[in-house]
Amino acid sequence: MSITLTDRRTLLGFAAVAGVASQIALPRLAGAATVSAAAPWSSFQRIDAGDLSIEYADVGPRSGKPVILLHGWPYDIHAFAEVASLLARAGYRVIVPFLRGYGGTVFRSADTPRNAQQAALAVDVIALMDALKIPRAVIGGFDWGARTANIVAALWPDRCQAMVSVSGYLIGSQKANEAPLSPAAELAWWYQFYFATERGRLGYERNRHDFAKLIWRTASPKWNFGDATFDRSAKSLDNPDHVAITIHNYRWRLGLAEGEARFDDLERRLAQGPTIAVPTITMEGDANGAPHPDPAAYAAKFTGRYAHRLVSGGIGHDLPQEAPKDFADAVLQAAALSA
């Protein structure tokens, strides 16, 4: 069962909706809705994990309960700058990695395929958790990060304490993506078709910052972000593998690029549309200009304690950066549901 909660300041009735047997005083963050826009980390950490040498932010007490936050395309870890500060103040250890192809995250071998199929990104998260000796964490994300969080929760539920997912259930398959959408829906995916061409690859290589700024504006049409905010994240797109990772991701979705055989079994399981039983809060901004499913279409995919929140006030696709307190509150509430 799910409900859309439109009040950005409260979750009245949430416990009953989520199926909590006893009355719970769900935690909320005190104070102002935002904190300083400066990044909450003064330096980044680095660790070898699986195929990657991952650069990541690590804030809050090391003894705190771990939270892993995953960004999307074409954004970066600064989407969670204020969220991380809020959660760290609440006593959580917050780990925010640059995904493969972003920031200082690099491949450990020149011979590793620059593969961005959905299973590969999820395996990166498990490898990071193993390297950091984190057995279980609350995992949250948006865009590519939400899909990756979905996959970890579905395939490795023992590693995911709870989940916060912007735009809900995003696990897909190449087979499902063969079906055509309505003309209006296809139009919203214009960049996916552009990236299917060599012209698109070259265009993104030459204009990646301008391209990203266009995506930010169309995906969050009411977010008046400044140049400093954009430029801080755009630096991450200068990663030497960024274009290859981006192009492979979108071509793989359409069956125009091969994945790796080592992920075949995972992709077969994902193609079945597995349900997610870990406690989950899904979120959506009321002004999300990016392609996204209707919450009613995916509510049944969440079989555990679950609620959906609609965040109002002109909030677009980058919900954690546009409404950080709402996202941080959701992390706290999802964690409480798993207690």
Side-chain angles (χ1 to χ4, degrees), residues 8 18 37 39 45 59 78 90 113 135 143 150 173 176 179 203 206 218 233 262 300 304 309 320 332 337:
R8 296 183 60 190
Q45 310 297 316
V59 299
H78 291 95
D143 196 83
N150 289 180
S173 71
R206 295 175 185 175
T218 56
S233 289
R262 59 182 169 139
R309 297 182 64 189
L332 294 183
L337 290 176

PDB file of all heavy atoms in Angstrom, residues 8 18 37 39 45 59 78 90 113 135 143 150 173 176 179 203 206 218 233 262 300 304 309 320 332 337:
ATOM      1  N   ARG A   8       5.474  19.019   2.587  1.00  0.00           N
ATOM      2  CA  ARG A   8       6.923  18.898   2.659  1.00  0.00           C
ATOM      3  C   ARG A   8       7.431  18.926   4.082  1.00  0.00           C
ATOM      4  O   ARG A   8       8.593  18.679   4.326  1.00  0.00           O
ATOM      5  CB  ARG A   8       7.593  20.013   1.863  1.00  0.00           C
ATOM      6  CG  ARG A   8       7.323  19.974   0.392  1.00  0.00           C
ATOM      7  CD  ARG A   8       8.089  21.060  -0.320  1.00  0.00           C
ATOM      8  NE  ARG A   8       9.516  20.885  -0.097  1.00  0.00           N
ATOM      9  CZ  ARG A   8      10.414  21.787  -0.427  1.00  0.00           C
ATOM     10  NH1 ARG A   8      10.050  22.927  -0.962  1.00  0.00           N
ATOM     11  NH2 ARG A   8      11.696  21.572  -0.216  1.00  0.00           N
ATOM     12  N   ALA A  18       2.767   2.769   6.141  1.00  0.00           N
ATOM     13  CA  ALA A  18       3.884   1.885   5.842  1.00  0.00           C
ATOM     14  C   ALA A  18       3.720   0.508   6.453  1.00  0.00           C
ATOM     15  O   ALA A  18       4.543  -0.366   6.236  1.00  0.00           O
ATOM     16  CB  ALA A  18       5.178   2.525   6.329  1.00  0.00           C
ATOM     17  N   ALA A  37      25.522  26.046   1.410  1.00  0.00           N
ATOM     18  CA  ALA A  37      25.630  25.394   0.110  1.00  0.00           C
ATOM     19  C   ALA A  37      27.025  24.873  -0.162  1.00  0.00           C
ATOM     20  O   ALA A  37      27.254  24.192  -1.140  1.00  0.00           O
ATOM     21  CB  ALA A  37      25.219  26.367  -1.002  1.00  0.00           C
ATOM     22  N   ALA A  39      30.311  22.537   0.048  1.00  0.00           N
ATOM     23  CA  ALA A  39      30.437  21.099   0.221  1.00  0.00           C
ATOM     24  C   ALA A  39      30.801  20.789   1.667  1.00  0.00           C
ATOM     25  O   ALA A  39      31.599  21.480   2.272  1.00  0.00           O
ATOM     26  CB  ALA A  39      31.513  20.555  -0.724  1.00  0.00           C
ATOM     27  N   GLN A  45      38.233  10.825  -0.123  1.00  0.00           N
ATOM     28  CA  GLN A  45      38.958   9.599   0.165  1.00  0.00           C
ATOM     29  C   GLN A  45      39.056   8.773  -1.115  1.00  0.00           C
ATOM     30  O   GLN A  45      38.351   9.023  -2.096  1.00  0.00           O
ATOM     31  CB  GLN A  45      38.234   8.799   1.253  1.00  0.00           C
ATOM     32  CG  GLN A  45      37.873   9.588   2.494  1.00  0.00           C
ATOM     33  CD  GLN A  45      39.081  10.105   3.218  1.00  0.00           C
ATOM     34  OE1 GLN A  45      40.062   9.382   3.401  1.00  0.00           O
ATOM     35  NE2 GLN A  45      39.031  11.363   3.640  1.00  0.00           N
ATOM     36  N   VAL A  59      31.689  11.455   5.440  1.00  0.00           N
ATOM     37  CA  VAL A  59      31.465  12.459   6.483  1.00  0.00           C
ATOM     38  C   VAL A  59      30.625  11.868   7.612  1.00  0.00           C
ATOM     39  O   VAL A  59      29.912  10.886   7.428  1.00  0.00           O
ATOM     40  CB  VAL A  59      30.773  13.721   5.916  1.00  0.00           C
ATOM     41  CG1 VAL A  59      31.613  14.380   4.854  1.00  0.00           C
ATOM     42  CG2 VAL A  59      29.394  13.385   5.343  1.00  0.00           C
ATOM     43  N   HIS A  78      28.046  16.296  -5.462  1.00  0.00           N
ATOM     44  CA  HIS A  78      27.639  17.555  -4.845  1.00  0.00           C
ATOM     45  C   HIS A  78      26.117  17.708  -4.792  1.00  0.00           C
ATOM     46  O   HIS A  78      25.611  18.581  -4.090  1.00  0.00           O
ATOM     47  CB  HIS A  78      28.286  18.736  -5.570  1.00  0.00           C
ATOM     48  CG  HIS A  78      29.767  18.785  -5.348  1.00  0.00           C
ATOM     49  ND1 HIS A  78      30.659  18.231  -6.232  1.00  0.00           N
ATOM     50  CD2 HIS A  78      30.509  19.302  -4.335  1.00  0.00           C
ATOM     51  CE1 HIS A  78      31.894  18.418  -5.779  1.00  0.00           C
ATOM     52  NE2 HIS A  78      31.831  19.053  -4.630  1.00  0.00           N
ATOM     53  N   ALA A  90      23.132  14.395  12.315  1.00  0.00           N
ATOM     54  CA  ALA A  90      22.226  13.482  13.007  1.00  0.00           C
ATOM     55  C   ALA A  90      22.935  12.218  13.480  1.00  0.00           C
ATOM     56  O   ALA A  90      22.293  11.319  14.034  1.00  0.00           O
ATOM     57  CB  ALA A  90      21.065  13.119  12.093  1.00  0.00           C
ATOM     58  N   PRO A 113      36.603  -3.171 -19.795  1.00  0.00           N
ATOM     59  CA  PRO A 113      35.640  -2.489 -20.666  1.00  0.00           C
ATOM     60  C   PRO A 113      34.981  -1.306 -19.950  1.00  0.00           C
ATOM     61  O   PRO A 113      34.655  -1.387 -18.764  1.00  0.00           O
ATOM     62  CB  PRO A 113      34.606  -3.581 -20.975  1.00  0.00           C
ATOM     63  CG  PRO A 113      35.333  -4.864 -20.782  1.00  0.00           C
ATOM     64  CD  PRO A 113      36.299  -4.612 -19.663  1.00  0.00           C
ATOM     65  N   PRO A 135      28.858  -3.968   6.138  1.00  0.00           N
ATOM     66  CA  PRO A 135      27.994  -5.104   5.795  1.00  0.00           C
ATOM     67  C   PRO A 135      26.611  -4.697   5.316  1.00  0.00           C
ATOM     68  O   PRO A 135      25.999  -5.396   4.504  1.00  0.00           O
ATOM     69  CB  PRO A 135      27.914  -5.903   7.101  1.00  0.00           C
ATOM     70  CG  PRO A 135      28.194  -4.901   8.177  1.00  0.00           C
ATOM     71  CD  PRO A 135      29.156  -3.911   7.584  1.00  0.00           C
ATOM     72  N   ASP A 143      18.036   9.245 -10.287  1.00  0.00           N
ATOM     73  CA  ASP A 143      18.479   8.995 -11.657  1.00  0.00           C
ATOM     74  C   ASP A 143      19.260   7.668 -11.697  1.00  0.00           C
ATOM     75  O   ASP A 143      18.780   6.676 -11.182  1.00  0.00           O
ATOM     76  CB  ASP A 143      19.287  10.201 -12.161  1.00  0.00           C
ATOM     77  CG  ASP A 143      19.462  10.226 -13.668  1.00  0.00           C
ATOM     78  OD1 ASP A 143      18.544  10.699 -14.353  1.00  0.00           O
ATOM     79  OD2 ASP A 143      20.511   9.764 -14.150  1.00  0.00           O
ATOM     80  N   ASN A 150      17.985   0.572  -6.376  1.00  0.00           N
ATOM     81  CA  ASN A 150      16.934  -0.430  -6.595  1.00  0.00           C
ATOM     82  C   ASN A 150      17.532  -1.820  -6.784  1.00  0.00           C
ATOM     83  O   ASN A 150      17.043  -2.805  -6.215  1.00  0.00           O
ATOM     84  CB  ASN A 150      16.121  -0.103  -7.847  1.00  0.00           C
ATOM     85  CG  ASN A 150      15.198   1.090  -7.737  1.00  0.00           C
ATOM     86  OD1 ASN A 150      14.516   1.425  -8.699  1.00  0.00           O
ATOM     87  ND2 ASN A 150      15.170   1.750  -6.596  1.00  0.00           N
ATOM     88  N   SER A 173      15.250  -3.527 -18.552  1.00  0.00           N
ATOM     89  CA  SER A 173      15.905  -4.588 -19.321  1.00  0.00           C
ATOM     90  C   SER A 173      15.950  -4.180 -20.774  1.00  0.00           C
ATOM     91  O   SER A 173      15.142  -3.358 -21.233  1.00  0.00           O
ATOM     92  CB  SER A 173      15.152  -5.912 -19.179  1.00  0.00           C
ATOM     93  OG  SER A 173      13.911  -5.868 -19.871  1.00  0.00           O
ATOM     94  N   ALA A 176      12.587  -5.143 -22.414  1.00  0.00           N
ATOM     95  CA  ALA A 176      11.494  -4.204 -22.149  1.00  0.00           C
ATOM     96  C   ALA A 176      11.661  -2.929 -22.947  1.00  0.00           C
ATOM     97  O   ALA A 176      10.674  -2.319 -23.389  1.00  0.00           O
ATOM     98  CB  ALA A 176      11.422  -3.898 -20.658  1.00  0.00           C
ATOM     99  N   ALA A 179      10.107  -2.107 -26.626  1.00  0.00           N
ATOM    100  CA  ALA A 179       8.735  -1.653 -26.880  1.00  0.00           C
ATOM    101  C   ALA A 179       8.709  -0.146 -27.087  1.00  0.00           C
ATOM    102  O   ALA A 179       9.240   0.611 -26.277  1.00  0.00           O
ATOM    103  CB  ALA A 179       7.844  -2.029 -25.707  1.00  0.00           C
ATOM    104  N   GLY A 203      29.304  14.898 -30.389  1.00  0.00           N
ATOM    105  CA  GLY A 203      28.699  16.107 -29.855  1.00  0.00           C
ATOM    106  C   GLY A 203      28.818  16.188 -28.344  1.00  0.00           C
ATOM    107  O   GLY A 203      29.096  17.252 -27.780  1.00  0.00           O
ATOM    108  N   ARG A 206      32.485  16.936 -27.318  1.00  0.00           N
ATOM    109  CA  ARG A 206      32.905  18.321 -27.547  1.00  0.00           C
ATOM    110  C   ARG A 206      32.157  19.322 -26.676  1.00  0.00           C
ATOM    111  O   ARG A 206      32.665  20.418 -26.416  1.00  0.00           O
ATOM    112  CB  ARG A 206      32.692  18.685 -29.020  1.00  0.00           C
ATOM    113  CG  ARG A 206      33.564  17.899 -29.984  1.00  0.00           C
ATOM    114  CD  ARG A 206      33.217  18.210 -31.430  1.00  0.00           C
ATOM    115  NE  ARG A 206      33.979  17.378 -32.353  1.00  0.00           N
ATOM    116  CZ  ARG A 206      33.816  17.371 -33.680  1.00  0.00           C
ATOM    117  NH1 ARG A 206      32.888  18.168 -34.221  1.00  0.00           N
ATOM    118  NH2 ARG A 206      34.548  16.586 -34.442  1.00  0.00           N
ATOM    119  N   THR A 218      16.305  21.506 -18.304  1.00  0.00           N
ATOM    120  CA  THR A 218      15.063  20.872 -18.746  1.00  0.00           C
ATOM    121  C   THR A 218      14.527  19.894 -17.703  1.00  0.00           C
ATOM    122  O   THR A 218      13.315  19.737 -17.561  1.00  0.00           O
ATOM    123  CB  THR A 218      15.265  20.150 -20.090  1.00  0.00           C
ATOM    124  OG1 THR A 218      16.337  19.202 -19.972  1.00  0.00           O
ATOM    125  CG2 THR A 218      15.602  21.134 -21.197  1.00  0.00           C
ATOM    126  N   SER A 233      29.832  20.841 -10.031  1.00  0.00           N
ATOM    127  CA  SER A 233      29.554  19.467 -10.451  1.00  0.00           C
ATOM    128  C   SER A 233      30.104  19.159 -11.837  1.00  0.00           C
ATOM    129  O   SER A 233      30.495  18.022 -12.115  1.00  0.00           O
ATOM    130  CB  SER A 233      28.046  19.205 -10.430  1.00  0.00           C
ATOM    131  OG  SER A 233      27.562  19.136  -9.109  1.00  0.00           O
ATOM    132  N   ARG A 262      29.961 -11.643 -17.683  1.00  0.00           N
ATOM    133  CA  ARG A 262      29.965 -11.904 -16.242  1.00  0.00           C
ATOM    134  C   ARG A 262      28.737 -11.326 -15.540  1.00  0.00           C
ATOM    135  O   ARG A 262      28.439 -11.684 -14.405  1.00  0.00           O
ATOM    136  CB  ARG A 262      31.242 -11.346 -15.607  1.00  0.00           C
ATOM    137  CG  ARG A 262      31.437  -9.843 -15.790  1.00  0.00           C
ATOM    138  CD  ARG A 262      32.757  -9.413 -15.172  1.00  0.00           C
ATOM    139  NE  ARG A 262      33.114  -8.050 -15.524  1.00  0.00           N
ATOM    140  CZ  ARG A 262      33.646  -7.193 -14.662  1.00  0.00           C
ATOM    141  NH1 ARG A 262      33.865  -7.542 -13.404  1.00  0.00           N
ATOM    142  NH2 ARG A 262      33.974  -5.980 -15.052  1.00  0.00           N
ATOM    143  N   ALA A 300       3.339  -1.415  -6.481  1.00  0.00           N
ATOM    144  CA  ALA A 300       3.268  -2.843  -6.152  1.00  0.00           C
ATOM    145  C   ALA A 300       4.623  -3.524  -6.164  1.00  0.00           C
ATOM    146  O   ALA A 300       4.758  -4.661  -5.671  1.00  0.00           O
ATOM    147  CB  ALA A 300       2.336  -3.550  -7.136  1.00  0.00           C
ATOM    148  N   GLY A 304       7.590  -4.477   1.026  1.00  0.00           N
ATOM    149  CA  GLY A 304       7.826  -4.266   2.444  1.00  0.00           C
ATOM    150  C   GLY A 304       7.170  -2.984   2.914  1.00  0.00           C
ATOM    151  O   GLY A 304       6.223  -2.477   2.294  1.00  0.00           O
ATOM    152  N   ARG A 309       6.374   9.904  -1.366  1.00  0.00           N
ATOM    153  CA  ARG A 309       6.270  11.308  -1.013  1.00  0.00           C
ATOM    154  C   ARG A 309       6.380  12.176  -2.273  1.00  0.00           C
ATOM    155  O   ARG A 309       7.328  12.038  -3.048  1.00  0.00           O
ATOM    156  CB  ARG A 309       7.393  11.719  -0.054  1.00  0.00           C
ATOM    157  CG  ARG A 309       7.360  11.012   1.284  1.00  0.00           C
ATOM    158  CD  ARG A 309       8.460  11.505   2.183  1.00  0.00           C
ATOM    159  NE  ARG A 309       8.288  12.906   2.500  1.00  0.00           N
ATOM    160  CZ  ARG A 309       9.196  13.648   3.123  1.00  0.00           C
ATOM    161  NH1 ARG A 309      10.346  13.128   3.460  1.00  0.00           N
ATOM    162  NH2 ARG A 309       8.952  14.919   3.390  1.00  0.00           N
ATOM    163  N   PRO A 320      17.530  15.690  -4.310  1.00  0.00           N
ATOM    164  CA  PRO A 320      18.363  15.878  -3.115  1.00  0.00           C
ATOM    165  C   PRO A 320      19.008  17.251  -3.027  1.00  0.00           C
ATOM    166  O   PRO A 320      19.147  17.796  -1.925  1.00  0.00           O
ATOM    167  CB  PRO A 320      19.431  14.782  -3.255  1.00  0.00           C
ATOM    168  CG  PRO A 320      18.807  13.759  -4.137  1.00  0.00           C
ATOM    169  CD  PRO A 320      17.965  14.527  -5.101  1.00  0.00           C
ATOM    170  N   LEU A 332      16.198   9.310   7.196  1.00  0.00           N
ATOM    171  CA  LEU A 332      16.000   9.021   8.620  1.00  0.00           C
ATOM    172  C   LEU A 332      14.745   8.170   8.839  1.00  0.00           C
ATOM    173  O   LEU A 332      14.741   7.225   9.633  1.00  0.00           O
ATOM    174  CB  LEU A 332      15.885  10.312   9.411  1.00  0.00           C
ATOM    175  CG  LEU A 332      17.119  11.218   9.487  1.00  0.00           C
ATOM    176  CD1 LEU A 332      16.835  12.419  10.370  1.00  0.00           C
ATOM    177  CD2 LEU A 332      18.335  10.470   9.987  1.00  0.00           C
ATOM    178  N   LEU A 337      12.139   2.758   9.872  1.00  0.00           N
ATOM    179  CA  LEU A 337      11.231   1.668   9.514  1.00  0.00           C
ATOM    180  C   LEU A 337      11.914   0.312   9.546  1.00  0.00           C
ATOM    181  O   LEU A 337      11.250  -0.722   9.670  1.00  0.00           O
ATOM    182  CB  LEU A 337      10.654   1.906   8.119  1.00  0.00           C
ATOM    183  CG  LEU A 337       9.656   3.052   7.981  1.00  0.00           C
ATOM    184  CD1 LEU A 337       9.245   3.217   6.534  1.00  0.00           C
ATOM    185  CD2 LEU A 337       8.442   2.802   8.863  1.00  0.00           C
TER     186      LEU A 337
END
